[in-house]
Amino acid sequence: MILTSFRPSVRRWEATINNFDRMRHEMEHLVDSIAGGTSGHLLGTFPATNITQTPDCFHIRTELPGVKISDLEISTVDRKVAVQGRRDVEPEENGVSYHRRERKPVEFNRNIELPSEFDREKVEASLTNGVLTITLPRVEAAKPRTIQVSN
Amino acid sequence: MANEMTHAIQGGNSVEVGDQFEQTRPGPFFTPAVDIFEKDEAITLLADMPGVKSDDLEIDLRENILTLNGRCESFEVEGETDVVREYETGTYHRRFTLSDTIDQDKIEAKLVDGVLRLELPKSEETRPRQIPVMSE
């Protein structure tokens, strides 16, 4: 079940610095609560991902509540990072009455292309409080440089 | 967006409260996805709150109104600029009423991998009891 795969250009990425996806999640949640629960996350972009940069590196941060490290796989090729995994929820049991069932099991596969090259040997990833952080140092040649103008 | 529709669950024991809730902190508020299920002895609530540390989570139960507030600090440090932004950080907020009497001394809360697990044991008096019928 592949949910999203995006490779937009950098310019478009920068143009979408807004809260649309989060709003969409909220809308789906609202629609779900009226409709009696369909598949909220499956309709949107899951998992929600932010990407930031500094002159030295890129940071990818992804919200993955309830995902265990053992159910997560990160791979890189060229300028791309793939984050794949699975989020399980507890199966329904007999003799239990459910008042809310909004959390969904989901399989995800996101492909992220970064605007410049990074050192694939030095990529680090950590999962803290349900947020995955991937740090990708830029290669020397891809670091921004200031050019002195001589007169 | 943070304020949610109120709707009672037919025959259920937890009801979402129409939120007369005023924001006192800056930043956006979000509605976390929850599961609530009930067994004879306890009600369990699970809530997705990615990025919230246990110190930043407030769970308040008074007069059967359960309020959850989980503040998520940004992981970003100074000097980072956005390339793509799909989510914001803020506060997860949700409020319920619980009609069963909860044994407040035995409530347990755990926050693991960004998911809150709240165990609300029912007090002895409110647990269902089997009444044996004597036959002659």
Side-chain angles (χ1 to χ4, degrees), chain B residues 29-135:
Chain B
F29 276 71
F30 305 113
T31 308
V34 299
D35 286 349
I36 302 174
F37 49 90
E38 182 177 353
K39 294 181 186 172
D40 287 347
E41 69 281 8
I43 294 172
T44 305
L45 182 147
L46 301 169
D48 285 346
M49 295 186 167
V52 176
K53 298 189 204 89
S54 49
D55 290 346
D56 295 331
L57 178 62
E58 288 167 19
I59 303 162
D60 182 271
L61 177 64
R62 61 186 75 183
E63 288 165 14
N64 281 357
I65 295 181
L66 175 72
T67 308
L68 308 176
N69 270 312
R71 194 159 43 89
C72 177
E73 298 281 355
S74 173
F75 281 66
E76 287 161 29
V77 297
E78 218 181 308
E80 292 183 30
T81 54
D82 283 328
V83 181
V84 181
R85 179 160 298 276
E86 293 179 353
Y87 68 90
E88 298 287 339
T89 50
T91 301
Y92 297 98
H93 170 81
R94 214 149 166 187
R95 181 175 279 184
F96 303 92
T97 53
L98 306 167
S99 63
D100 261 313
T101 313
I102 300 297
D103 191 339
Q104 302 214 6
D105 296 332
K106 291 186 185 155
I107 295 175
E108 279 179 36
K110 269 188 268 181
L111 191 58
V112 181
D113 297 331
V115 180
L116 167 69
R117 186 185 189 97
L118 199 57
E119 298 281 353
L120 304 150
K122 295 180 192 172
S123 58
E124 285 295 331
E125 313 83 76
T126 56
R127 291 187 191 181
R129 256 169 252 271
Q130 290 282 329
I131 313 294
V133 180
M134 310 297 279
S135 62

Side-chain angles (χ1 to χ4, degrees), chain A residues 54-59 114 116-124 134-140 142-143:
Chain A
T54 65
D56 294 325
C57 56
F58 295 101
H59 299 281
L114 290 169
S116 69
E117 274 187 67
F118 54 88
D119 187 342
R120 301 217 308 276
E121 302 297 317
K122 291 183 183 157
V123 175
E124 288 177 10
I134 310 174
T135 303
L136 312 103
R138 292 176 196 252
V139 293
E140 277 304 318
K143 287 184 183 174

Side-chain angles (χ1 to χ4, degrees), chain A residues 5 13 19 29 34 43 48 54 73 112-113 115 127 138 151:
Chain A
S5 162
W13 278 9
N19 206 9
H29 180 75
I34 298 164
L43 303 171
T54 65
E73 196 182 299
I112 297 156
E113 184 166 356
L127 188 61
R138 292 176 196 252
N151 53 6

